[in-house]
């Protein structure tokens, strides 16, 4: 039984979140708190397994509380954020501080939307309960040797839970001269834009959301927008990234399998695919198709993954030829591209 403490300054929101979670037989809500000071006392008294945490609260904001919590008593935290630009930026900061995942605040709408939201919230809490709490480590120095971009036509990266930090850690170790990179991170609109801007500010690479059909070039990183698929096709001998709005695949849009499968059809021999931390099995089948076509396929290992779901599924399927932590995968990629 997963014991959850709900922290939110809105009594209505606490009741709604608590009611959603209590409908799962594997989850029990052991308490609630209206501000961080109440939460601190409740954590000591109730010893919850997972915290759901609002960002905007009286007396102390959620970020300040999270920072203290991760320093003094690290535990799995799922942030509950507003669907605004500010909410997205602050949520990414919370993930940097150690939160496992986030969900948007529920909004009034159709019953079907609330049902989908309820499933999402319960899935996130369950994943957080079994997640590895990651320790902050300094980044290795960026490579100084030459890169031969012609060795790879593209690098493909898929990730989900814990992926915003995992992708950031990998990209921050790569120079501006990398082959074109395409990223599918399970993320919602608003948050994908904030995530992309954040990556662009941290790395020497040119990072942007894919908005239209684009011939990909070295030094560019294209991120799938929240709630849209991306794929890779070959036109007139050039690789073109496309964005489109088909139905979710495996409950995901964007889906890693969509990108990986399209790349396999586009001629995968000179491609590298990385499948990083994430819940579920998205990307496993597409990675197998890439491997069978001659692509290089690696997954993140269990010890360094926040949730070893997607990488595990690919590994057990035989879709990956190697696994390693994020720094190892980043370094192996550079060795593969060494001029």
């Amino acid at each position: 039984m997963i014991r959850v403490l709900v922290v939110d300054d809105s009594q209505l929101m606490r009741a709604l979140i608590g009611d959603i979670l209590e409908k799962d037989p594997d989850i029990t809500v052991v308490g609630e708190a209206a501000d961080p000071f109440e939460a601190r006392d409740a954590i000591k008294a109730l010893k919850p397994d997972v915290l759901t945490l609002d960002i905007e609260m009286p007396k102390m904001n959620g970020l300040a509380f999270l920072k203290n919590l991760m320093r003094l008593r690290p535990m799995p935290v799922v942030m509950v954020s507003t669907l605004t630009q500010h909410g997205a930026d602050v949520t990414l900061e919370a993930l940097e501080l150690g939160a496992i995942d986030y969900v948007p605040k529920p909004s009034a709408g159709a019953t079907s939307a609330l049902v989908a939201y309820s499933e999402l919230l319960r899935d996130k809490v369950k994943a957080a309960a079994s997640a590895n709490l990651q320790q902050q480590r300094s980044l290795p120095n960026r490579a100084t040797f030459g890169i031969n971009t012609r060795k790879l036509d593209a690098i493909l990266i898929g990730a989900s839970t814990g992926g915003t930090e995992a992708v950031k850690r990998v990209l921050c170790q790569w120079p501006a001269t990398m082959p074109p990179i395409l990223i599918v991170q399970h993320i919602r609109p608003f948050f994908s834009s904030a995530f992309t801007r954040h990556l662009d500010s941290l790395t020497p690479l040119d990072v942007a959301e894919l908005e239209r059909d684009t011939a990909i070039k070295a030094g560019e990183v294209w991120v799938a927008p929240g709630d849209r698929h991306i794929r890779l096709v070959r036109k007139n001998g050039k690789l073109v990234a496309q964005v489109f709005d088909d139905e979710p695949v495996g409950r995901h849009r964007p889906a890693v399998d969509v990108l990986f499968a399209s790349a396999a059809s586009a001629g995968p021999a000179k491609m590298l695919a990385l499948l990083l931390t994430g819940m579920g099995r998205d990307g496993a089948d597409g990675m197998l198709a890439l491997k069978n076509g001659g692509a290089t396929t690696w997954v993140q290992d269990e010890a360094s993954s926040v949730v070893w779901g997607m990488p595990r599924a690919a590994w057990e399927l035989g879709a990956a030829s190697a696994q390693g932590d994020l720094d190892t995968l980043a370094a192996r990629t550079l060795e593969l591209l060494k001029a």
Side-chain angles (χ1 to χ4, degrees), residues 252-336:
H252 300 296
R253 189 172 64 194
V256 182
D257 266 326
V258 170
L259 173 61
F260 282 7
S262 69
S265 298
K270 288 179 66 178
M271 294 186 193
L272 166 66
L274 304 178
L275 196 53
L276 309 182
T277 175
M279 178 173 58
R281 66 178 317 278
D282 185 28
D285 295 330
M287 179 169 268
L288 181 61
L290 281 166
K291 185 185 178 188
N292 289 340
T296 303
T297 55
W298 300 333
V299 298
Q300 188 175 354
D301 62 17
E302 182 175 10
S304 68
S305 295
V306 173
V307 178
W308 202 52
M310 288 160 46
R312 176 179 180 171
W315 183 254
E316 292 181 346
L317 191 63
S321 59
Q323 57 176 286
D325 64 24
L326 297 171
D327 296 344
T328 299
L329 296 180
R332 281 181 182 168
T333 303
L334 294 175
E335 286 294 324
L336 186 66

Side-chain angles (χ1 to χ4, degrees), residues 81-142:
S81 308
T82 53
L83 277 176
T84 63
Q85 194 59 67
H86 174 70
D89 291 336
V90 175
T91 298
L92 285 176
E93 190 174 346
L95 295 174
E96 287 183 337
L97 291 172
I100 298 298
D101 213 334
Y102 73 93
V103 289
K105 286 201 169 186
S107 57
T111 302
S112 59
L114 184 58
V115 169
Y117 176 83
S118 299
E119 292 177 356
L120 175 69
L121 176 60
R122 291 190 286 259
D123 285 347
K124 300 278 190 182
V125 166
K126 287 181 175 180
S130 59
N132 293 328
L133 294 179
Q134 302 295 298
Q135 299 296 320
Q136 297 287 346
R137 293 174 296 158
S138 59
L139 283 169
N141 292 327
R142 192 173 289 125

Side-chain angles (χ1 to χ4, degrees), residues 45-58:
L46 302 171
K47 296 179 173 55
D49 301 311
V50 178
L51 204 69
T52 69
L53 180 62
D54 186 16
I55 289 177
E56 302 296 339
M57 291 184 294

Side-chain angles (χ1 to χ4, degrees), residues 53 62-71 77 79 94 97-99:
L53 180 62
L63 281 183
F65 175 69
L66 179 66
K67 187 173 184 178
N68 290 334
L69 181 68
M70 289 305 172
R71 178 172 56 88
V77 175
M79 304 303 296
L97 291 172

Side-chain angles (χ1 to χ4, degrees), residues 1-6 14-15 17-24 27-32 46 52:
M1 186 68 74
I2 301 168
R3 297 164 54 83
V4 180
L5 176 66
V6 177
R14 294 197 303 271
I17 292 172
D19 183 60
I20 289 171
L21 294 177
E22 284 282 359
K23 283 184 168 61
D24 191 298
I27 299 173
T28 181
V29 176
V30 295
E32 59 182 51
L46 302 171
T52 69

